[in-house]
Amino acid sequence: MADKKRRGEDAGDDRLHDEVVDDVADDDATDAEEPVSRGGTATRSRAKADSADSRPKTRADTERVGLFGRIARFIREVVAELRKVIWPTRKELLTYTAVVVAFVTVMLTIVAGLDFAFAKGVLWVFGNPS
């Protein structure tokens, strides 16, 4: 009995085998044309569109694009990403700016105070050369 538990052949393994059998049964029940979604936010229309793009690429599809073509594609992608950005309103921008300026001022004061304290401490330990 102890050997079975050590080898992982206890009742917990039966549940694993049952789950595998259940997954196979679920796959048989789905339509062969619709891919099975394993979570995420994909929809059926999106999955069908992606399956059309999953065809093997021909040599014409994978040909190397020139330098200017790559630069143009990069700029188009940058513009597309910038359209997705949620830009702050003027009030939010002023609030964020004030918070950053206040934080930088506080940190500057702390660093300047520590610098002054350490400088005085070093001069006190090693003596003032003047």
Side-chain angles (χ1 to χ4, degrees):
M1 182 77 171
D3 288 338
K4 281 188 174 184
K5 286 189 178 183
R6 238 183 291 139
R7 292 184 195 148
E9 296 177 3
D10 57 346
D13 281 347
D14 292 338
R15 285 185 287 142
L16 291 176
H17 293 299
D18 291 342
E19 290 174 7
V20 171
V21 172
D22 290 342
D23 287 343
V24 172
D26 290 343
D27 288 343
D28 292 339
T30 60
D31 189 12
E33 293 179 27
E34 295 179 13
V36 177
S37 175
R38 297 288 182 205
T41 59
T43 60
R44 288 182 180 172
S45 61
R46 176 77 183 225
K48 287 181 181 179
D50 288 344
S51 65
D53 292 336
S54 64
R55 62 179 169 74
K57 302 278 186 196
T58 62
R59 183 177 172 114
D61 291 341
T62 59
E63 284 183 12
R64 189 166 172 92
V65 179
L67 176 65
F68 292 112
R70 287 185 281 164
I71 292 172
R73 182 180 51 181
F74 174 75
I75 292 172
R76 280 194 308 268
E77 289 176 3
V78 167
V79 170
E81 289 297 321
L82 286 176
R83 286 186 180 147
K84 297 177 187 178
V85 173
I86 299 173
W87 297 99
T89 63
R90 184 176 186 87
K91 184 178 178 182
E92 291 173 337
L93 187 63
L94 291 174
T95 303
Y96 298 155
T97 303
V99 168
V100 168
V101 169
F103 179 76
V104 168
T105 303
V106 169
M107 294 306 294
L108 177 75
T109 305
I110 292 171
V111 170
L114 287 172
D115 182 49
F116 181 75
F118 283 123
K120 288 294 182 183
V122 167
L123 287 176
W124 179 74
V125 169
F126 294 112
N128 198 351
S130 55

